Amino acid sequence: MSNPNDVDAALALWRFGLGAAEGGITAIKNAPRDLLREEIAEHAVPTPIGAQLRSSSDLLVALYAYQQQVKAERDKPTAVSAAPVAVATTQAMAGANTMQGGQPVTMQAGPMPPQPQSMQVDKKPDTPVSKRPYFPQQILLAEADARFNGTIHEPMIGFGERLAMFWANHFSVAISKNGEVHILAGAFEREAIRPHIFGRFEDMLLAVETHPAMLVFLDNQQSIGPTSDANKNGKRGLNENLAREIMELHTLGVDGGYSQEDVTSLARIITGWTFYRDEKRPGPQGKFMFNASAHEPGDHTVMGMTYAGGNLEQGRTALRDLARNPATAKHIATKLARHFVADQPPPALVKKLAAAYTKTQGDLSAVYTALVEADEAWNPTLVKMRTPLEYVTAMLRTSGIKPKPEQVLSMLNALGQPLWNPAGPNGFSDVTDAWASSEALATRIDAANLMAHQFQGQIDPRVFVGDRLGPLLTADTLQAISRAETRPQGLSLAFLSPEFQRR
């Protein structure tokens, strides 16, 4: 019979964390639940680091410079010098406006820090800018490298990193939208989500809805108040995309009791929410701004609450009230319980999480604490199937493999969960049925074989699976691995075992 602490240690790592690195279960087995609570108390979430991981403002300035270069080449292909895009974007980043103490500050121009070889943009002087690797994709690769070769390997358990994945999916943006979202997806997670993971939900909500990535993704910069000064000719109007998803996906939930009239009213309230993207308009490029001339004037009512018109605070207050709504508490509680515990989470668990949310007015650390202290969350039966993102993360973390980011992105694409690129604003599915098709499982076989052949060292697959899975390992899985004819085959079977794929 397994020691209860060993089981809790395995569940802490595999259900709430990123999977067990070498010796991981042994390292925390004396107090696994206490260590999980400690990660919450310490707000432990790693920070992605890399030379190209700049602010949204810097990235947008660099993107616009890149786009101008490409356009110039296309307009005058024989007259424009083929200066390397890396130089132009570096100069744009170095001269970009940043903010310190609420004031715009110009950075000193200088060379970009050294880049990993796989991140460098083609610098051949005879290669036109328009023919070189797509600049936003180069930034995406750098963001991926910082996570899959960085942050997933740092924490002892990794609850904070798992939460970063959860919230990035809750507040989904898709890089396929356009170049702006493509280059900003990683910065969006770094700036709007990670700093607020253990704070108040309303603070994360406000950061998300005012971030350029979300404003572009859901077209709010195109939304103009019908009777605003900016629409005197009557040719422009509301775009309700952001308002609708705020209510349906980000806060209340589809059954949250709102009406179409509420959506329209919220859309009016957040008209004018945009960011500096026109160099002719004074202000720090890439930073959020409230465009009063595009804002729909007057008082507006949402969910029975009337908000006085006039300025940015009208929208901020409306979002805070949505964040504190009981429907939001239930929606967030249900999604967290579904993500960590079961596709059909125990009603008692959802009730506990919602109560913690309501009591603390959305203090997320209190909600997480209620989750990890609930007996329902520690059932040793593994019923949740890992999403492709979680599965690839677990293979990399448990094996210590650090591949090129291109390989990771390719694998996630093949498995059906391309990084930061869901088909819609509702993100990727969080239930087992979405990932358990025969085609999906066949692709996992290919991924497991690939990882098994990259595993360095001569570890015995039986030793590997025993160390990483501990008391979760079944006799059937151990027997199957023991019968493997080669070491890579044994490791592949370990990656494909039910215990590895489920949590």
Side-chain angles (χ1 to χ4, degrees):
M1 181 178 293
S2 299
N3 184 305
N5 264 21
D6 289 351
V7 174
D8 279 359
L11 291 174
L13 286 161
W14 286 98
R15 179 168 296 165
F16 297 102
L18 300 164
E22 182 178 3
I25 293 177
T26 300
I28 71 168
K29 69 177 183 179
N30 290 332
R33 298 197 189 195
D34 288 341
L35 289 171
L36 195 54
R37 282 190 285 262
E38 188 175 299
E39 284 200 1
I40 298 172
E42 294 181 353
H43 295 187
V45 57
T47 301
I49 298 173
Q52 292 176 288
L53 273 58
R54 303 299 185 91
S55 70
S56 290
S57 179
D58 291 350
L59 289 171
L60 285 175
V61 170
L63 173 66
Y64 300 150
Y66 165 83
Q67 291 173 335
Q68 288 172 0
Q69 277 192 299
V70 172
K71 184 178 184 300
E73 280 191 356
R74 289 173 179 168
D75 291 345
K76 298 179 181 179
T78 59
V80 177
S81 171
V85 66
V87 174
T89 53
T90 297
Q91 292 172 344
M93 283 186 175
N97 287 323
T98 58
M99 298 293 286
Q100 292 182 3
Q103 299 297 320
V105 177
T106 300
M107 297 172 62
Q108 294 296 316
M112 205 172 200
Q115 304 170 35
Q117 188 64 35
S118 62
M119 298 299 119
Q120 292 179 2
V121 179
D122 183 357
K123 295 182 180 179
K124 295 179 181 179
D126 57 346
T127 305
V129 173
S130 57
K131 299 297 183 182
R132 297 191 186 123
Y134 185 46
F135 179 50
Q137 181 66 10
Q138 297 300 94
I139 299 301
L140 180 71
L141 288 168
E143 297 280 6
D145 189 55
R147 288 158 180 78
F148 295 106
N149 292 327
T151 57
I152 70 165
H153 298 282
E154 293 178 19
M156 181 174 291
I157 296 175
F159 187 46
E161 189 71 10
R162 277 284 303 285
L163 287 167
M165 296 175 184
F166 169 84
W167 287 114
N169 192 56
H170 178 79
F171 293 113
S172 284
V173 298
I175 62 172
S176 57
K177 172 74 174 184
N178 58 23
E180 289 171 315
V181 180
H182 197 148
I183 204 169
L184 291 181
F188 170 67
E189 185 217 81
R190 287 187 283 111
E191 296 167 348
I193 292 176
R194 285 179 183 262
H196 304 289
I197 284 174
F198 292 100
R200 300 172 70 83
F201 177 74
E202 64 186 55
D203 295 333
M204 186 189 295
L205 181 67
L206 285 167
V208 163
E209 311 305 355
T210 57
H211 195 278
M214 186 62 73
L215 293 170
V216 171
F217 178 55
L218 292 174
D219 306 305
N220 206 70
Q221 82 282 5
Q222 300 175 14
S223 188
I224 306 296
T227 65
S228 67
D229 291 342
N231 197 38
K232 289 181 178 179
N233 60 12
K235 293 182 178 180
R236 306 169 74 181
L238 289 178
N239 185 303
E240 297 183 354
N241 288 353
L242 181 57
R244 178 174 294 103
E245 305 312 350
I246 286 174
M247 303 185 84
E248 179 179 327
L249 301 176
H250 301 170
T251 59
L252 305 172
V254 67
D255 298 320
Y258 63 90
S259 66
Q260 175 56 43
E261 184 178 347
D262 291 320
V263 171
T264 301
S265 188
L266 181 60
R268 292 192 182 103
I269 287 174
I270 60 175
T271 47
W273 285 30
T274 184
F275 62 98
Y276 292 96
R277 63 198 309 228
D278 183 354
E279 61 185 14
K280 297 178 182 178
R281 183 191 296 272
Q285 295 297 294
K287 293 290 186 179
F288 174 78
M289 66 169 289
F290 176 70
N291 184 359
S293 68
H295 181 67
E296 178 66 10
D299 298 349
H300 303 291
T301 301
V302 178
M303 302 286 289
M305 298 288 292
T306 299
Y307 300 94
N311 54 35
L312 174 61
E313 193 57 33
Q314 183 185 38
R316 286 176 171 166
T317 304
L319 288 191
R320 290 190 187 100
D321 286 343
L322 288 173
R324 298 175 185 181
N325 191 290
T328 298
K330 182 179 179 182
H331 181 54
I332 298 302
T334 301
K335 288 197 69 172
L336 281 167
R338 180 184 298 127
H339 177 78
F340 284 101
V341 179
D343 290 351
Q344 299 296 328
L349 177 60
V350 173
K351 187 175 181 180
K352 288 177 184 178
L353 303 191
Y357 184 105
T358 300
K359 181 178 179 180
T360 62
Q361 292 191 329
D363 181 345
L364 293 174
S365 289
V367 179
Y368 307 146
T369 300
L371 172 67
V372 301
E373 290 183 348
D375 290 339
E376 297 93 335
W378 294 88
N379 186 329
T381 304
L382 307 179
V383 296
K384 287 287 297 185
M385 188 167 186
R386 296 184 186 283
T387 65
L389 177 59
E390 295 166 5
Y391 182 57
V392 170
T393 296
M395 286 194 291
L396 295 177
R397 180 171 159 94
T398 59
S399 66
I401 296 171
K402 294 188 176 182
K404 290 183 177 180
E406 293 91 337
Q407 184 182 28
V408 178
L409 295 187
S410 178
M411 188 177 295
L412 288 171
N413 289 344
L415 291 168
Q417 192 178 11
L419 184 65
W420 300 322
N421 200 22
N426 57 335
F428 292 102
S429 176
D430 203 17
V431 298
T432 297
D433 287 349
W435 308 109
S437 69
S438 56
E439 180 181 355
L441 293 175
T443 308
R444 290 197 182 205
I445 292 174
D446 294 336
N449 286 334
L450 182 63
M451 287 291 101
H453 281 88
Q454 292 188 33
F455 201 118
Q456 301 296 313
Q458 297 298 319
I459 189 170
D460 186 322
R462 294 166 296 185
V463 175
F464 169 80
V465 77
D467 175 74
R468 303 317 195 263
L469 293 173
L472 303 180
L473 178 64
T474 64
D476 288 343
T477 292
L478 182 59
Q479 184 180 63
I481 293 171
S482 299
R483 291 175 176 174
E485 297 180 358
T486 65
R487 187 175 66 89
Q489 185 184 64
L491 291 170
S492 181
L493 289 171
F495 292 144
L496 291 168
S497 65
E499 303 94 294
F500 199 100
Q501 294 199 64
R502 292 180 176 269
R503 53 175 175 77

